[in-house]
Structure formats: C-alpha cells, structure tokens
Amino acid sequence: MTTEYRLIHFNCARPLGAFNMENEFVRVFMAILPRIFSDADSFEGLHWHTHGIRRPNGDWYGMQHAFPYPDGLAAPNVCTMAGWKSIETLREFSYGGHTHPAGMRRLANQLDRSDGVNFVLWWAPRGERFTMQDGWNKLQSLRQNGPTKDAFSLDHLIAKPVAA
C-alpha cells in the first residue's frame, strides 16, 4: 500500500481591540468569510478546511458560535486548518485566489502578532484527521522550537515525503 501525503496548514488571526461587530477587522472578516469559504469549496487543490475560534482560556468554538462574545474578554484567535494537495496549491489559493488575498491584505495591519508566528505547516498521510487543538499544538511547537519536519513555515519549507 502506498502512503500519499497532504500538506496541512493551521493559522490564527487575533484581531486588535474588542472582538465585536464594531471592530473593523471583525466586521470585514465576517463579511468576506462566506465568499472565502465558497472559493475554498470550489478550489481543486484544497481537500478540506475547517475553522474555529479559540478563546484565551483555550476553549474552542465553531465560527457559528463566535457571537455574542463576552465583553471584557481578550480577543480570541480566529483559526483555520486545511488540507492541501501541495505547497503550490496553497500558495495559489492564498496569494492568487479571488477573495482571500485582497481580504487578508486589507486586514493585515489589524492583527495582534505579539505571540510570534501565526502560520504552521506539516505533511500528513492522506486520511489522517486532526482537531483544531492539534493544529494549535503544531503552532506552539513552531513558536517554541523553530522549524522542524513536523512543524515548519513557508520561509522554511520541508519537502513532501516520498510516498512509501
């Protein structure tokens, strides 16, 4: 049996300011999200994607349960995890897609980047499943240990394993 590999990415965006619909990041992000999801669903190089909100206490919520968000609670991490055919297809969608590039450029200066990198990659056998917490753990590994074969970045790519 041959093992095929998929590229998995996990990223977090934590907006500056309060997490409510008066925050420009939140308002714009929530408005473009359905279009990004639609683009993702029809993109051939993307196998699956999932999204969630991680509150400061570590609890996870689906995007549909983002609001109402408790007043006075620090902004959550808005997270995405997806399985890709290749690094090239990830780049094509992220930097050349219809909705994602323009929307993310518009919001880039409204993100809290104080925790360090917010994007991690790894190769996984096709069919292996992950939770959002698994992705969070990979991101923490990259933040603490730098790039490894199990958690790397676009700046420090690891080649796709050879199918065995």
Side-chain angles (χ1 to χ4, degrees):
M1 180 176 186
T2 302
T3 300
E4 295 181 42
Y5 289 87
R6 298 290 180 252
L7 180 68
I8 312 300
H9 103 263
F10 178 85
N11 71 286
C12 292
R14 187 174 58 240
L16 295 168
F19 193 72
N20 58 43
M21 293 307 280
E22 294 168 16
N23 181 316
E24 183 183 5
F25 173 93
V26 175
R27 194 174 53 254
V28 171
F29 184 79
M30 296 306 276
I32 65 175
L33 205 55
R35 288 178 282 168
I36 292 174
F37 287 175
S38 178
D39 289 350
D41 289 340
S42 64
F43 189 76
E44 190 173 316
L46 178 61
H47 296 289
W48 55 267
H49 60 101
T50 189
H51 311 273
I53 301 286
R54 185 179 190 277
R55 289 187 178 176
N57 66 359
D59 288 345
W60 287 97
Y61 294 86
M63 293 299 290
Q64 70 276 18
H65 301 292
F67 297 102
Y69 193 77
D71 287 338
L73 188 61
N77 284 282
V78 180
C79 303
T80 300
M81 186 165 51
W84 301 88
K85 180 179 177 182
S86 66
I87 290 169
E88 293 76 23
T89 56
L90 166 67
R91 283 185 170 145
E92 182 182 342
F93 181 83
S94 298
Y95 302 113
H98 301 310
T99 308
H100 190 269
M104 295 305 105
R105 276 192 302 275
R106 180 175 174 189
L107 299 173
N109 66 347
Q110 298 175 40
L111 297 176
D112 179 349
R113 299 185 189 278
S114 63
D115 287 338
V117 297
N118 59 6
F119 189 96
V120 65
L121 301 164
W122 68 95
W123 293 103
R126 183 179 182 170
E128 191 170 331
R129 302 287 181 239
F130 300 94
T131 66
M132 295 299 278
Q133 186 63 45
D134 294 329
W136 180 260
N137 293 344
K138 293 278 188 180
L139 181 62
Q140 299 316 303
S141 175
L142 179 62
R143 286 175 174 172
Q144 294 167 10
N145 306 315
T148 67
K149 70 176 183 62
D150 297 319
F152 54 93
S153 68
L154 287 170
D155 293 332
H156 298 93
L157 293 174
I158 300 295
K160 184 177 187 175
V162 176

